[in-house]
Amino acid sequence: MRSDFLLDSGSRVRRIGLGTMRMADRPDQRAGLSAPIWAPPTDRHELIDFLRGAAAAGVDMFDTADAYAFGAGEELLAEALAPVRSEVVIATKIGNTRPSPHEWVPVGRPEYLRQQLELSLRRLRTDRIDLLYLHRIDPTVPLADQLGVLDEARQLGMVGAIGVSGVDAAQLAQARALAPISAVQNNYSIGDRTHDDIVELTRAAGIAFVAFFPLTLGPAGDDPRVAAIAAAHGISTTRLALSWLLHRGDHVLAIPGTTDPAHLRDNLAAAATELTADEITTLDSLLAHQETL
């Protein structure tokens, strides 16, 4: 199992990065699907220390978006990672708006995307974004117009590589026909394998599949087979879930989010957990088992 992946931007990154979406608001507001991701973090200094510790621990790919707390997430990464900026990859996303703490609305008008690109560059204190995603496709705007902004920025050297997020197979095919797509970021985990087909399509295309929410266990969390395999390796079930995900293909990366150093270390250790063929077969069969419940 490979421990790293070469992005089209020319950067080689470890396959377990860090998602920073929830580094916003108060610490007690960050759990669950109702987390607002709305205001700058109240514990900014503690998060800066954590992010620098993550980089020191080996994390070299950090993921954010302009929609996370209205750009405060990008500003946080810029400050925290300034001392090691040349040693890490920062991926961000544009194309999603936040009318309220409970709404995420795609806006893909080219003039808006150009503005958000410029703002992301400023907040990240850079003249080149390593990896830029179209956060969500706006169904009211031709996809060619949306990806055209990102691809033009790539050709001008403002962006190293471009990706798409939250796409289905048809959208991915359309996107690849319009621009050089280097990465797809979708939710994927042992507990939610909705995008199995995208994992296979990206494998065939030789592009990165970046899993967000990769620690979702779903019914697998209560499956005794999962507990038994984790116990055999002396690891947590979440580390097992991450290891399984990495075994899905050398092109699969994960960006689990945490602000706990112990959880971070456990997540990173998943890259060194080798599963047997029988164990992988057992874990792969969980989906069929779940569908019979």
Side-chain angles (χ1 to χ4, degrees):
M1 183 172 66
R2 288 191 60 91
S3 61
D4 58 14
F5 184 86
L6 181 62
L7 296 169
D8 285 349
S9 62
S11 299
R12 188 172 293 279
V13 296
R14 293 179 176 87
R15 292 174 60 202
I16 295 180
L18 181 64
T20 64
M21 180 180 77
R22 295 182 185 274
M23 294 185 184
D25 309 302
R26 301 191 313 265
D28 63 298
Q29 295 177 300
R30 293 173 186 157
L33 296 177
S34 61
I37 323 296
W38 187 250
T42 59
D43 54 345
R44 181 183 182 86
H45 295 300
E46 290 84 353
L47 290 176
I48 287 174
D49 288 342
F50 172 78
L51 288 164
R52 290 177 178 172
V59 175
D60 57 8
M61 182 174 67
F62 295 81
D63 186 87
T64 185
D66 74 338
Y68 298 164
F70 293 91
E74 292 177 329
E75 293 172 343
L76 178 70
L77 283 183
E79 181 175 351
L81 300 177
V84 293
R85 184 62 188 90
S86 63
E87 303 168 24
V88 300
V89 165
I90 297 179
T92 193
K93 301 177 281 289
I94 59 175
N96 236 359
T97 60
R98 302 298 311 284
S100 78
H102 308 294
E103 293 179 281
W104 300 76
V105 179
V107 174
R109 296 193 306 275
E111 66 274 16
Y112 177 77
L113 294 177
R114 291 190 189 97
Q115 171 181 282
Q116 295 313 105
L117 169 61
E118 290 292 342
L119 289 172
S120 288
L121 287 165
R122 294 183 191 185
R123 288 188 292 251
L124 289 170
R125 305 179 189 176
T126 186
D127 58 4
R128 181 179 183 270
I129 293 172
D130 301 313
L131 173 58
L132 180 66
Y133 292 94
L134 181 62
H135 201 163
R136 290 294 185 271
I137 293 174
D138 183 345
T140 70
V141 178
L143 184 55
D145 292 348
Q146 299 175 65
L147 287 177
V149 174
L150 278 68
D151 195 31
E152 179 183 30
R154 181 192 63 83
Q155 294 178 51
L156 291 172
M158 302 162 68
V159 169
I162 61 178
V164 288
S165 180
V167 295
D168 61 26
Q171 291 169 328
L172 176 57
Q174 185 183 5
R176 293 190 63 223
L178 294 168
I181 302 300
S182 300
V184 174
Q185 185 179 131
N186 278 13
N187 62 302
Y188 189 70
S189 66
I190 199 170
D192 184 353
R193 295 180 57 180
T194 304
H195 295 296
D196 265 341
D197 59 337
I198 307 298
V199 171
E200 297 307 319
L201 289 170
T202 49
R203 185 203 311 274
I207 62 180
F209 178 90
V210 182
F212 69 84
F213 294 160
L215 299 181
T216 302
L217 293 174
D222 297 320
D223 195 302
R225 295 174 295 175
V226 173
I229 294 173
H233 288 270
I235 62 176
S236 65
T237 54
T238 52
R239 190 194 300 186
L240 175 63
L242 271 181
S243 180
W244 168 85
L245 192 149
L246 296 183
H247 279 82
R248 292 287 291 138
D250 287 342
H251 69 301
V252 176
L253 292 76
I255 48 170
T258 184
T259 57
D260 184 304
H263 290 167
L264 175 71
R265 290 191 295 270
D266 195 55
N267 291 342
L268 294 178
T273 302
E274 292 286 350
L275 302 176
T276 68
D278 286 345
E279 289 170 337
I280 293 171
T281 298
T282 297
L283 295 172
D284 284 346
S285 71
L286 292 177
L287 180 64
H289 173 68
Q290 292 166 18
E291 290 176 343
T292 65
L293 296 179

